[in-house]
Amino acid sequence: MKLLKNRKADVGDIPLWLLRLIVLIIIIVVIQIVINIFILQNIDTRSAEAKVLTNRILFSGTGIIYTDSEISRAYPGIIDLDKFYDTNLESVLHLPENKVYFAAKITITDLDGKKLSEIYCYKDWYDNWKPLADLNLAGKGGVDNFIEKRYVLIHDSADNKIKSAVAEISILLPR
Amino acid sequence: MGFCGKRGLSRFFASKKAEESMLYELLIALVFVGVLALFYFNFINSLVNNSLYERNYYARDSALMTSVMYASPGDVSYTYGISPLNEYDFFMTLNDSTTVIKDASHQDVEYIYPDDAKFKNPKLAFSTKNIENILFDKSKRSLEVKEQQVNK
């Protein structure tokens, strides 16, 4: 009964407790933010990874580059148009189906900018992620597009000639 | 008026009952602060003992290293020194396009890298304790990764 009688007074204490609770929550949030600033546990290596993938595309002897079969010598930087197709690239950058974490597109143009050929590595994923990369959203769920243009040579077995070209390599890496 | 008025704080100083009530409030606040302090001490302590950063670093670095080996157009071998890593007792596996670093008491860290389907790809599992180097050896159509023990 006494408790019931004091209900008015108890109600009067509510603003005090609310104020204390708000101050406490602010303190906890600030401490958490300060701790999180000083803890570095996530290392972002995606830019280095894109570079390594680009180099693998252009230098790996088993990939799209020209190889002299008689002496088994690979010529880095010379793209063999006979090897320039999707499945060949996917075999060089092979990932199990459930572990695909990047996708790539290589476009070869001549020095005037005329498109000569284009291939994809994991095309379905590239098509899925490209709109997200174009949106350029920050944070998790976004996709970064690492584009690199390299001056290359192309070897065409049809006329057995080497021509100058530009390879644009676009690598999509989700965050 | 709020808590400073007639029904507010001032009434606590007026009677014994109010003092008792204030004591209870203080006790509740102390318990609350105690629980919070305990939580933060535990959190900081777990961070000090945690090797998540090291596991993350080595999982990524070994995955990138393997990927770099595939990028070379010819045969190449490389000795990867792991001197700070062998202070920890991690279990490292390299298989099926994935590097996994396990720690007995913590969560595994894994990192994916693309294999080369035209190669005999590395399969490896070892404890980092007493390991000095990891040897990467790429020749013809095979990439071998081997651990090298500390010479005592």
Side-chain angles (χ1 to χ4, degrees):
Chain A
M1 285 305 283
K2 266 184 182 177
L3 272 172
L4 286 174
K5 273 182 190 171
N6 286 336
R7 199 184 270 171
K8 260 187 179 176
D10 290 340
V11 171
D13 289 341
I14 288 175
L16 175 69
W17 280 103
L18 273 178
L19 191 75
R20 281 177 179 176
L21 202 70
I22 290 165
V23 170
L24 192 72
I25 288 168
I26 291 169
I27 292 169
I28 291 170
V29 169
V30 168
I31 291 173
Q32 200 63 46
I33 289 169
V34 169
I35 288 173
N36 283 339
I37 287 170
F38 286 102
I39 299 167
L40 178 71
Q41 292 192 333
N42 196 22
I43 315 158
D44 189 6
T45 50
R46 284 168 317 119
S47 149
E49 225 167 296
K51 276 250 183 267
V52 170
L53 292 172
T54 305
N55 287 338
R56 276 183 72 172
I57 290 167
L58 291 176
F59 298 145
S60 177
T62 50
I64 58 168
I65 68 165
Y66 175 65
T67 313
D68 189 331
S69 53
E70 281 180 27
I71 54 171
S72 299
R73 185 189 159 178
Y75 290 85
I78 304 179
I79 292 172
D80 190 345
L81 287 182
D82 291 342
K83 291 176 167 183
F84 200 67
Y85 51 91
D86 291 12
T87 46
N88 188 31
L89 189 61
E90 279 170 22
S91 76
V92 178
L93 300 171
H94 175 257
L95 286 169
E97 218 169 276
N98 57 339
K99 288 182 180 173
V100 177
Y101 73 97
F102 77 93
K105 182 177 88 170
I106 309 165
T107 313
I108 292 186
T109 55
D110 63 16
L111 296 180
D112 300 323
K114 189 185 150 204
K115 195 200 276 183
L116 299 174
S117 193
E118 187 178 84
I119 57 167
Y120 289 87
C121 187
Y122 307 110
K123 188 175 187 305
D124 293 345
W125 286 105
Y126 192 93
D127 293 340
N128 281 343
W129 288 331
K130 187 69 177 45
L132 286 171
D134 290 341
L135 282 174
N136 211 12
L137 294 171
K140 290 244 174 195
V143 177
D144 286 320
N145 189 2
F146 296 90
I147 300 172
E148 199 162 326
K149 271 188 181 181
R150 297 251 186 117
Y151 174 76
V152 290
L153 297 170
I154 48 170
H155 177 263
D156 195 351
S157 62
D159 52 7
N160 205 22
K161 275 185 180 169
I162 288 174
K163 295 170 201 161
S164 301
V166 175
E168 187 187 278
I169 299 159
S170 150
I171 295 190
L172 298 185
L173 282 168
R175 276 182 219 118
Chain B
M1 303 289 272
F3 51 83
C4 291
K6 253 185 185 177
R7 295 175 199 149
L9 275 179
S10 56
R11 79 191 162 91
F12 289 119
F13 300 102
S15 67
K16 242 185 186 179
K17 224 164 50 182
E19 276 173 24
E20 209 173 279
S21 170
M22 215 175 131
L23 197 71
Y24 280 131
E25 277 184 26
L26 198 72
L27 275 175
I28 291 167
L30 273 175
V31 168
F32 203 69
V33 168
V35 169
L36 259 177
L38 216 68
F39 168 77
Y40 273 112
F41 277 128
N42 265 335
F43 180 62
I44 301 287
N45 202 31
S46 74
L47 286 177
V48 170
N49 297 326
N50 198 345
S51 56
L52 182 62
Y53 181 84
E54 286 80 2
R55 279 176 288 142
N56 248 320
Y57 174 87
Y58 281 105
R60 279 153 207 260
D61 208 35
S62 52
L64 275 174
M65 193 60 235
T66 314
S67 205
V68 165
M69 294 302 288
Y70 285 118
S72 75
D75 297 348
V76 64
S77 61
Y78 181 75
T79 306
Y80 180 89
I82 57 161
S83 57
L85 177 63
N86 51 21
E87 286 167 18
Y88 299 93
D89 194 7
F90 292 152
F91 193 77
M92 189 172 171
T93 52
L94 207 77
N95 187 20
D96 198 22
S97 293
T98 313
T99 313
V100 183
I101 300 206
K102 289 178 185 182
D103 182 351
S105 55
H106 296 99
Q107 205 187 337
D108 302 349
V109 172
E110 65 168 55
Y111 209 71
I112 305 165
Y113 61 90
D115 267 337
D116 191 327
K118 292 169 187 164
F119 266 77
K120 187 179 165 237
N121 293 302
K123 278 184 185 172
L124 180 76
F126 65 93
S127 161
T128 58
K129 200 89 178 163
N130 301 324
I131 297 293
E132 198 166 8
N133 300 310
I134 303 175
L135 302 171
F136 291 84
D137 185 33
K138 185 194 167 202
S139 60
K140 289 175 186 164
R141 291 287 170 98
S142 162
L143 175 64
E144 269 188 71
V145 184
K146 284 180 274 182
E147 72 272 28
Q148 195 177 52
Q149 302 278 333
V150 174
N151 292 322
K152 283 181 181 172

